[in-house]
Amino acid sequence: MSKNKKLDIDLLVDGLTCIDNYSNDGFVNIPTDKSALHPARYFKELFMSELIKDGVSDEDIVAELDLSDQNFEEFLNEKAMVTSLLAQRLCVVTDMPAAFWLRAQSRFDDFHTRVE
């Protein structure tokens, strides 16, 4: 469904506009000194818009992720967390490793635990 690309997520991370580390695995490390965004934000901004441009419908995305419409909406609205299973499904749809999605969720959770 997607092409394997290295991401530059500067525009999606609050704070300074630099990426601390790139890896050779096709994904970026999310810096710990910046406020973390929910993984759904990365999905919406970096992948979903491209999939829709390529003619993939919302229904196709929901089917590929094997989620109910309600669960998909909760994810997009940043009310559902990325589990191991969802991370694996996101990997299939985006070609981003499941570890990226789990790390993004962990950073989001850690940041919001510290802030609260």
Side-chain angles (χ1 to χ4, degrees):
M1 218 189 236
S2 66
K3 299 162 189 71
N4 192 5
K5 298 178 186 176
K6 186 173 280 195
L7 295 178
D8 184 349
I9 60 169
D10 286 336
L11 298 175
L12 295 176
V13 178
D14 295 336
L16 299 175
T17 56
C18 67
I19 295 296
D20 292 337
N21 296 307
Y22 281 91
S23 80
N24 293 326
D25 297 322
F27 61 94
V28 297
N29 290 321
I30 301 168
T32 57
D33 61 338
K34 299 178 183 182
S35 61
L37 301 175
H38 191 279
R41 184 91 56 97
Y42 300 116
F43 181 75
K44 288 186 290 191
E45 299 295 328
L46 298 173
F47 297 104
M48 193 166 168
S49 58
E50 288 299 314
L51 292 169
I52 290 171
K53 281 183 198 174
D54 290 342
V56 179
S57 70
D58 286 354
E59 293 81 17
D60 292 336
I61 295 169
V62 170
E64 190 72 28
L65 291 173
D66 195 23
L67 295 173
S68 69
D69 290 339
Q70 179 180 352
N71 287 343
F72 184 63
E73 285 300 316
E74 288 174 356
F75 172 66
L76 290 181
N77 291 323
E78 303 178 15
K79 297 190 186 308
M81 66 183 289
V82 173
T83 62
S84 293
L85 182 58
L86 180 54
Q88 292 169 3
R89 292 173 180 169
L90 287 165
C91 176
V92 170
V93 172
T94 66
D95 285 334
M96 290 296 289
F100 169 82
W101 297 107
L102 293 170
R103 189 171 58 252
Q105 182 68 55
S106 177
R107 296 275 170 95
F108 177 80
D109 293 344
D110 289 347
F111 176 79
H112 289 282
T113 299
R114 285 192 317 255
V115 170
E116 296 170 356

